[in-house]
Amino acid sequence: MSVLPDLHLHYVQACQDLSQPENPFIARVLQEADKNDEISTKGITLKLAGNNHLVPVPRVTDDDLGVLVSVLGQAAFVTGLDLAYNLLTDAGAKTIATFLQEENSSLQYLNLMFNDIGTSGAELIAEALHSNQSLVHLRMTGNKIGNEGGMFFASMLEINSTLEKLDLGDCDVGPQCLVATAIALTQNKSLKAINLNRPLLSSQQEQTTVHIARMLRINSSLVELHLGKHEMKNFGVERLCEALFRNSSLKYLDLSCNNITGDGVKFLGELLKRNRTLRILDLSANRIEDVGAIYLSEALATRNMTLQALSVVSNNIAGEGLVALAHAMQSNTTLSHIYIWGNKIDSDTCVAFWELIEMGRLELSCTDVVPYEVDGEVFLAELSHGLGKHRYWSPSSAAVAPGAANASLEIVAVSEY
């Protein structure tokens, strides 16, 4: 039996050597890691996220990170580092960049979401990834790196051939970054998933969507694409669909929180009739209404046998459209996950989805509604399920099964993390 390394002991010693007070949160996590029997057989992830604790913890600062990295430099078995929701700034980003550039770096997963890293910190991390050959998944979500910071990552994608998943959602990137990223992805052959949610756009012309569509005509490696809150309209959806007729790699398309109406969904319906690759389509928080739901149901009932998950949450759909989707599921044997809460659910909708669940066609873990009966009448209540409910935050308790709350991870597993 191999001797397990003592991370906590090394951390205490490093704090003494660097005259840095111990962070009790880091100390406790390292103690727990030392007890992990799987250290000697596979890599572990240190979960140092500053949120998601029943008792508040002292969040990780730049100084804390400097000590921690000095310990991890000799711990090749630590392959994941979750530093979300802490107090890291550009100084902390410099420490991370130096760590990533070390020859013996074994880090595969790095979560820096919702810290205080800015443009200069983004530049340092992006430049480190020019030479790093270990990192597979990077989350920069919520750091206000701006358009200039996003441009550094776009340039990195022209060089790096290891990174598989990049999250730049809620980072205040601008149109120049989106265009540069789209151009980089026409050449990059390694990236499988990218989140570009909520950019800051100054124009209504949808030129960024046009560039992304052109990229999708050429790119053959991208599996997952998030374009939420892009102010996308029917014109942009039409351009994307035209491109996806020629794309045979994309499996997960997120178009949530845009301005897509029923007319735009007509193009998606035609795409679904011919596309044999797409597995997940997220149209949450658009304005597709009944006409859009009917376009989707027609494609799913007759021509598409590959889509596995569909979300039409909060789309102002009334009973007619929701019933049509329920009927489409009866003839479609592939669609297994459907999310409808936030629409105009009437009695016909309640009965239609109750029948789907009663006959076993729709599992409760695969939808966000559950039927119940009062005085002989069927109603629907909401379940806390979705494609990615815990993208920003996950509860410390296991109240909802991970596969139910985050169905996309089971349907399209882009990377280990």
Side-chain angles (χ1 to χ4, degrees):
M1 182 176 179
S2 59
V3 178
L4 299 182
D6 196 333
L7 288 173
H8 178 248
L9 179 62
H10 292 164
Y11 175 69
V12 172
Q13 186 62 52
C15 286
Q16 293 175 356
D17 295 342
L18 297 172
S19 300
Q20 172 70 22
E22 292 181 35
N23 182 315
F25 175 41
I26 296 177
R28 190 183 79 231
V29 170
L30 294 181
Q31 284 178 320
E32 293 172 355
D34 287 334
K35 300 175 185 177
N36 192 331
D37 294 333
E38 297 180 342
I39 284 181
S40 58
T41 58
K42 65 178 184 179
I44 63 170
T45 295
L46 296 181
K47 298 181 179 180
L48 292 163
N51 68 337
N52 192 28
H53 300 279
L54 296 177
V55 178
V57 297
R59 303 198 179 199
V60 180
T61 65
D62 295 333
D63 292 335
D64 292 329
L65 183 61
V67 180
L68 178 63
V69 165
S70 70
V71 174
L72 299 184
Q74 306 301 319
F77 53 84
V78 177
T79 56
L81 191 55
D82 184 352
L83 293 166
Y85 294 95
N86 280 299
L87 303 174
L88 304 180
T89 67
D90 290 340
K94 183 177 181 180
T95 301
I96 287 289
T98 303
F99 182 48
L100 291 173
Q101 288 176 311
E102 293 180 0
E103 292 184 5
N104 61 344
S105 175
S106 58
L107 206 62
Q108 298 176 29
Y109 169 63
L110 177 59
N111 187 348
L112 296 172
M113 67 185 294
F114 291 101
N115 279 280
D116 295 317
I117 299 172
T119 301
S120 59
E123 179 180 11
L124 292 168
I125 294 173
E127 288 183 353
L129 292 179
H130 288 190
S131 56
N132 177 278
Q133 296 182 354
S134 65
L135 198 67
V136 175
H137 184 178
L138 173 63
R139 296 200 68 180
M140 293 294 296
T141 327
N143 289 286
K144 304 308 178 185
I145 64 175
N147 187 71
E148 187 178 352
M151 291 290 287
F152 291 120
F153 282 104
S155 300
M156 175 273 295
L157 290 174
E158 297 178 352
I159 301 170
N160 182 285
S161 59
T162 306
L163 198 66
E164 294 182 5
K165 193 167 185 177
L166 175 63
D167 194 335
L168 296 178
D170 300 275
C171 283
D172 289 357
V173 301
Q176 295 86 353
C177 169
L178 296 179
V179 172
T181 300
I183 293 172
L185 291 179
T186 60
Q187 302 296 325
N188 185 293
K189 305 299 182 185
S190 61
L191 199 72
K192 296 180 180 179
I194 189 165
N195 183 352
L196 298 171
N197 285 350
R198 214 220 67 172
L200 298 183
L201 302 176
S202 56
S203 172
Q204 299 291 320
Q205 299 301 312
E206 297 191 85
Q207 287 302 312
T208 55
T209 305
V210 171
H211 281 275
I212 292 171
R214 290 173 181 169
M215 175 272 293
L216 289 173
R217 292 174 182 264
I218 302 171
N219 184 285
S220 60
S221 60
L222 203 62
V223 174
E224 179 178 335
L225 176 62
H226 295 268
L227 299 175
K229 302 179 184 177
H230 271 239
E231 301 180 20
M232 191 182 305
K233 304 176 186 64
N234 298 336
F235 171 81
V237 172
E238 184 178 6
R239 302 288 83 75
L240 286 178
C241 290
E242 289 172 353
L244 289 173
F245 281 128
R246 305 183 183 185
N247 184 289
S248 59
S249 65
L250 195 71
K251 295 182 179 181
Y252 183 0
L253 179 60
D254 176 6
L255 300 178
S256 60
C257 304
N258 280 294
N259 297 317
I260 302 168
T261 69
D263 291 338
V265 178
K266 183 177 182 179
F267 303 113
L268 285 168
E270 291 302 315
L271 173 67
L272 291 176
K273 292 177 182 178
R274 295 165 53 182
N275 183 279
R276 296 295 178 266
T277 308
L278 207 60
R279 298 290 183 271
I280 303 175
L281 178 60
D282 189 350
L283 290 171
S284 305
N286 280 281
R287 296 183 291 116
I288 73 171
E289 301 181 326
D290 277 8
V291 62
I294 291 172
Y295 281 135
L296 291 173
S297 64
E298 289 173 351
L300 293 170
T302 60
R303 303 283 291 276
N304 183 284
M305 292 298 163
T306 53
L307 195 73
Q308 294 177 239
L310 172 66
S311 178
V312 291
V313 171
S314 301
N315 264 281
N316 201 31
I317 305 172
E320 182 182 0
L322 295 174
V323 170
L325 288 172
H327 289 167
M329 283 199 74
Q330 293 182 357
S331 57
N332 184 305
T333 58
T334 309
L335 187 66
S336 57
H337 296 66
I338 187 166
Y339 305 97
I340 64 165
W341 191 257
N343 293 295
K344 300 177 180 179
I345 297 176
D346 61 7
S347 58
D348 291 337
T349 302
C350 295
V351 171
F353 276 85
W354 174 76
E355 291 176 348
L356 282 177
I357 293 169
E358 280 292 297
M359 70 175 63
R361 175 62 189 86
L362 181 61
E363 300 289 338
L364 285 179
S365 61
C366 300
T367 185
D368 58 350
V369 293
V370 57
Y372 65 98
E373 190 174 340
V374 176
D375 295 334
E377 187 174 356
V378 178
F379 298 90
L380 295 179
E382 183 183 13
L383 289 175
S384 185
H385 296 171
L387 292 172
K389 284 281 186 180
H390 300 156
R391 181 174 296 161
Y392 296 105
W393 173 83
S394 57
S396 55
S397 63
V400 180
N406 304 285
S408 64
L409 297 179
E410 290 194 343
I411 299 173
V412 178
V414 174
S415 67
E416 182 181 357
Y417 303 96

